[in-house]
Amino acid sequence: MDSSIPTPVVPVPAHHQPLFSSVNKFVKEYMSQPGHDNSHDYHHILRVVSNTNILLSAEQHLHSQTSLDVSALFLAALLHDVGDRKYAKPGEDVEKQVSKALLERGADQELAVKVQTIVKHVSYSNEAKNPDSVTEVLGKHPELAIVQDADRLDAIGAVGVARCFAYGGAKSEGQPMSIAIDHFTEKLYKLQGMMKTSTGRKMAEDRTQVLIEFATHFNAEYKLSFTME
């Protein structure tokens, strides 16, 4: 275990702790590569892992009869942005990047494929294009619900506002700041209705209200006191 890179202390079974630590090191290095702006960096990963931990604890309390693969859950939370097409380099094979990283670090084939499947179905864009595929995977791997909600919670609320502006600044040079507010309507307000867990829905409700209040203040302050001819 590499003591120079701290590993999140979450309830991963003891026999998978070395794998989790190794994957954490890989993800930190991967997310620190040039091209990853701070809207999608290792700190984002840690917040998603933290949200996953919160949701897992709450959902286990509410639904004690539901069996979850905790190793797959937290590995998917760590790896959910590996292979993100928004940041992929030319020629980079993103389809099996997650399973490859896991197999190289000692995961068995079944676990690697499960985590790859979960990660592939986390994103908003994937669900918007093919909601049936998400429903199908949720039936096989209920862990997806928690990882999806954990990721989407980090896209809303105060941190979500900051990330939205950070991404806009990094990817939309020359555009006005108001494009970030446009993204609230295009995507972020919709996330509350896409939450899969009861805990996620409650947390999303509170965080969406932060977005709404921020947008109201932003639009009032951004508005000019004169017309342009």
Side-chain angles (χ1 to χ4, degrees), residues 1-180:
M1 188 176 294
D2 191 337
S3 59
S4 65
I5 298 179
T7 301
V9 179
V10 292
V12 172
H15 67 285
H16 278 146
Q17 283 289 347
L19 172 63
F20 185 74
S21 179
S22 178
V23 169
N24 175 67
K25 179 177 184 293
F26 163 74
V27 170
K28 186 177 190 302
E29 292 169 351
Y30 181 91
M31 299 300 293
S32 300
Q33 294 179 94
H36 275 85
D37 60 87
N38 60 6
S39 70
H40 292 78
D41 60 5
Y42 179 64
H43 297 287
H44 162 63
I45 300 299
L46 291 179
R47 291 192 301 271
V48 172
V49 172
S50 177
N51 289 339
T52 297
N53 195 38
I54 292 168
L55 293 172
L56 172 65
S57 177
E59 291 301 301
Q60 284 182 324
H61 178 72
L62 291 171
H63 310 288
S64 57
Q65 74 283 3
T66 302
S67 178
L68 295 170
D69 183 337
V70 177
S71 295
L73 176 69
F74 281 106
L75 287 168
L78 269 183
L79 289 159
H80 80 275
D81 270 343
V82 170
D84 185 337
R85 295 183 187 279
K86 295 191 297 295
Y87 297 93
K89 298 175 179 61
E92 186 176 356
D93 178 15
V94 299
E95 283 302 316
K96 297 187 182 300
Q97 205 164 4
V98 166
S99 58
K100 181 173 182 288
L102 286 167
L103 292 169
E104 288 174 348
R105 286 160 181 79
D108 62 53
Q109 182 74 22
E110 182 180 356
L111 178 60
V113 170
K114 179 188 290 188
V115 174
Q116 177 75 71
T117 301
I118 293 170
V119 167
K120 183 178 179 180
H121 292 83
V122 167
S123 76
Y124 168 87
S125 58
N126 176 78
E127 184 166 6
K129 290 175 185 174
N130 194 354
D132 290 343
S133 70
V134 172
T135 301
E136 182 180 350
V137 173
L138 282 168
K140 296 176 182 175
H141 306 305
E143 299 81 11
L144 172 60
I146 290 179
V147 181
Q148 267 195 337
D149 284 10
D151 184 39
R152 291 169 186 183
L153 285 168
D154 202 52
I156 52 181
V159 168
V161 171
R163 290 183 65 214
C164 192
F165 278 86
Y167 184 78
K171 298 294 185 181
S172 303
E173 186 176 351
Q175 297 295 313
M177 286 191 299
S178 57
I179 63 167

